[in-house]
Structures are given as structure tokens and as C-alpha cells.
Amino acid sequence: MTQTKDLQSNVITFLRFPLIMGVLFIHNYSSTPTIPGAEFGIGENIPIFYACSELFSQVLGSISVPLFFFISGFLFFQNIDGFTKYDYTRKLKRRGKTLLIPYLFWNITVLLTYCIAQSIPALNAWFNNKIDYNLQYLLQTMWSMDNGYPIAYQFWFIRDLMAAVILTPVIYFFVRKAKVYGVLLLGVLWYFGWWLGGFIIDCGLSIVAVFFFSAGAWFGINKRNFIDDIGKVRYWSFILYPLLALADLLTKRYAVNIFIHNAGIIIGIVFWVNFVAYLLRTGKTGVNRFLASASFFVFAIHDPLMLRESKKILYALFNPQSDL
């Protein structure tokens, strides 16, 4: 039992960095950088690049955020017997240090960077919007701007995770009473996109967060080893996921794709958990704890402070005109 728990812990640690790389692929999807008033580049008239970009960013990379939510829900409830007020307070304090403080720090950092850069004439032209820094705008940058994201937009994941953490008493009660059927109901709502929009999503209650966090919570609350449970269908996942990933890639331009895509996310999570467990169990690879520990910093710094501007510079240097 201890060996299985160690494998589960190692799988979670191993996955942290590859999943962050998946997030980077998602955010580096387009081949066309944007400058004020224009988007330039060669668009989709580059079929090989377009197919590779779709595969890594919109197919493989799409598993990253749901699996992060799943792991977060599992870890939150993993070592809790019951769920008392003391447990809730203790977890909130801990998540305040690991989620809220970094969330505020990085969003404020990006806000200050924009504010300072836009006050410098030589840099001002690189920004798409001229901003009026009033109180309403400052508050929106910390939670949800017009596009539904905080100013450091990748931190919508941390925002939604914090919302899920605050609601853990509700999630705990729901999972305990509705059991696996309640989680499956949330899965149906996510799969078909049946969820409340507008205000509730802007507040961080996206269905992807609620469903996958609750799914992970079910394993944690019921003291299930998800490596063992998911491992029961490992061979099916090794067959189905490559087929679903290919189908997802080939149907991107069709309305039916959303159903193939969402099925691919579920089976993809099963596939990658099983694949990593196999690699670790057979000694074909090990856990690189340096990369795992660096994953949050990579997540925080990659955009907009690095990726977006690096893309513009690289485009100016190489002026790509073909797939190569």
C-alpha cells in the first residue's frame, strides 16, 4: 500500500512540469503576433505548422488545466478524515500562502509593468490599449477584466482554484451526499457546456474548475488511490486516446469537434496518468524535482511578461514566410 501511495505521489510530482509546458503551448498557439492596431504574420496558410500548432496547443495541451484542477481537488481532501471547521480554516490559511499571495503578487507585478512601460514614450507604442487607471479598472485587473480574466490572464486558473477552495464545504457536502452520481452530473454539464454564464463565471466558478476539482475531491474524500482506479483501464486508454487525439485534430473545423475534444480530455487524463505511472513503475524515467519545483515560476512568468513580447521579437528577427 505504501509503495502504491509513493507511486501516486511521484506521478503527481512528475506531471507538474509537463502540464505547465502544456499551458505554455496553449498560450503560444497562434503564429501571428499582435502590435497596436494590427495582427501580422502568415496566418493559417501554413498547413504543417498549423497542424502541429493545433496538435500541441489545442489537443494535447488542453488536458493540462483540467488535470491540474483534478489533482488540486484530490490533494485538498487527501489527508482529511471528515471535514471540520478546523480543517477548513487550516486549509484556507495554507492556500492563502500558496495561492492568494502569489496571485496578488503576480497580478500587481504585471499591472505595474504595464503602468511603467506605458509612461515611457519609447515603449508606449508596443501596447495595444491606452489605459485609464481608475479605481474600477484597478479592481477589475485583480479579478476579472472585460475579457473575463485578471490582468495576468493565465492566473484565471488560480482565481478559479481559489473559488473552489472557498466552496470546499459545499463541495464536500455535495460529494458525500450525491456520491459519484453527483460528480457524473457535473461531468455531463461540463461535457455539453450546460453551465451558468456571465457573473458566475467572472467570479471564478467555471464548470471546468467545479467538475474536475470535485472529481479529484471524490477520490480524496473516499480515500481512493486514483492510480489504482485509473490503472484498471490503462490498456483501453492507450488504444483510445491516440485515436481520439487524431479525430480531434482532424475535426477542428466542424461543430461536432467539441464532443470529440471533451471526450479526448477525459480519456487523455486517464492516458497520461497511466503512461507516467508506467514509466515510473518500470524505472524508465524518474521524477525531476527541480523541474517540478520550477513549474509555478514558469507558469507565472511566461506571459505576458515573456512569451508575448518574445514572439514579436523573434518574428522581427526571422520574418517567417513558410512552414519551416
Side-chain angles (χ1 to χ4, degrees), residues 45-294:
N45 191 27
I46 41 175
I48 298 175
F49 173 85
Y50 178 70
C52 292
S53 180
E54 288 282 349
L55 176 63
F56 285 98
S57 297
Q58 303 300 305
V59 178
L60 303 180
S62 64
I63 295 168
S64 296
V65 170
L67 186 47
F68 266 130
F69 279 125
F70 175 88
I71 291 172
S72 298
F74 172 77
L75 292 177
F76 189 93
F77 290 102
Q78 182 185 21
N79 297 316
I80 291 180
D81 294 318
F83 191 52
T84 65
K85 182 179 179 180
Y86 170 77
D87 291 322
Y88 181 58
T89 303
R90 177 172 57 89
K91 288 283 188 176
L92 279 185
K93 289 180 180 178
R94 185 175 299 175
R95 294 307 188 274
K97 294 178 182 178
T98 59
L99 296 177
L100 179 59
I101 292 176
Y103 179 87
L104 292 175
F105 172 80
W106 286 104
N107 276 285
I108 291 172
T109 298
V110 172
L111 177 63
L112 290 176
T113 301
Y114 280 165
C115 182
I116 294 171
Q118 289 193 348
S119 67
I120 301 174
L123 299 177
N124 186 274
W126 286 86
F127 290 85
N128 299 324
N129 299 305
K130 304 303 180 283
I131 298 170
D132 177 17
Y133 292 95
N134 54 49
L135 179 60
Q136 180 182 356
Y137 175 79
L138 294 177
L139 292 176
Q140 288 176 333
T141 61
M142 292 298 107
W143 194 258
S144 178
M145 302 173 67
D146 293 338
N147 60 4
Y149 300 110
I151 192 167
Y153 73 93
Q154 70 268 33
F155 276 80
W156 74 266
F157 165 75
I158 304 297
R159 178 197 65 189
D160 286 24
L161 183 55
M162 289 191 296
V165 167
I166 291 171
L167 290 176
T168 46
V170 177
I171 293 173
Y172 178 80
F173 178 82
F174 177 78
V175 170
R176 292 286 291 182
K177 296 299 181 181
K179 301 182 179 179
V180 70
Y181 306 107
V183 177
L184 289 175
L185 174 61
L186 292 175
V188 170
L189 295 177
W190 165 78
Y191 184 81
F192 290 101
W194 298 334
W195 192 241
L196 300 174
F199 177 77
I200 194 168
I201 292 180
D202 290 343
C203 284
L205 293 178
S206 61
I207 184 57
V208 65
V210 172
F211 167 51
F212 286 99
F213 188 91
S214 297
W218 182 87
F219 282 90
I221 290 169
N222 292 286
K223 301 296 180 284
R224 309 282 301 197
N225 187 302
F226 69 83
I227 298 297
D228 289 342
D229 289 342
I230 290 177
K232 295 174 182 177
V233 292
R234 68 170 68 90
Y235 298 115
W236 283 108
S237 69
F238 291 160
I239 295 171
L240 287 176
Y241 181 61
L243 296 176
L244 278 171
L246 180 61
D248 188 3
L249 179 64
L250 295 177
T251 60
K252 281 297 181 187
R253 300 178 186 275
Y254 302 95
V256 72
N257 174 259
I258 185 61
F259 303 112
I260 298 173
H261 178 74
N262 286 348
I265 289 176
I266 295 292
I267 304 302
I269 288 174
V270 176
F271 172 87
W272 286 112
V273 168
N274 280 319
F275 184 64
V276 171
Y278 164 77
L279 293 178
L280 295 175
R281 188 185 293 114
T282 57
K284 296 184 182 299
T285 190
V287 176
N288 188 317
R289 299 193 180 277
F290 171 76
L291 291 180
S293 63

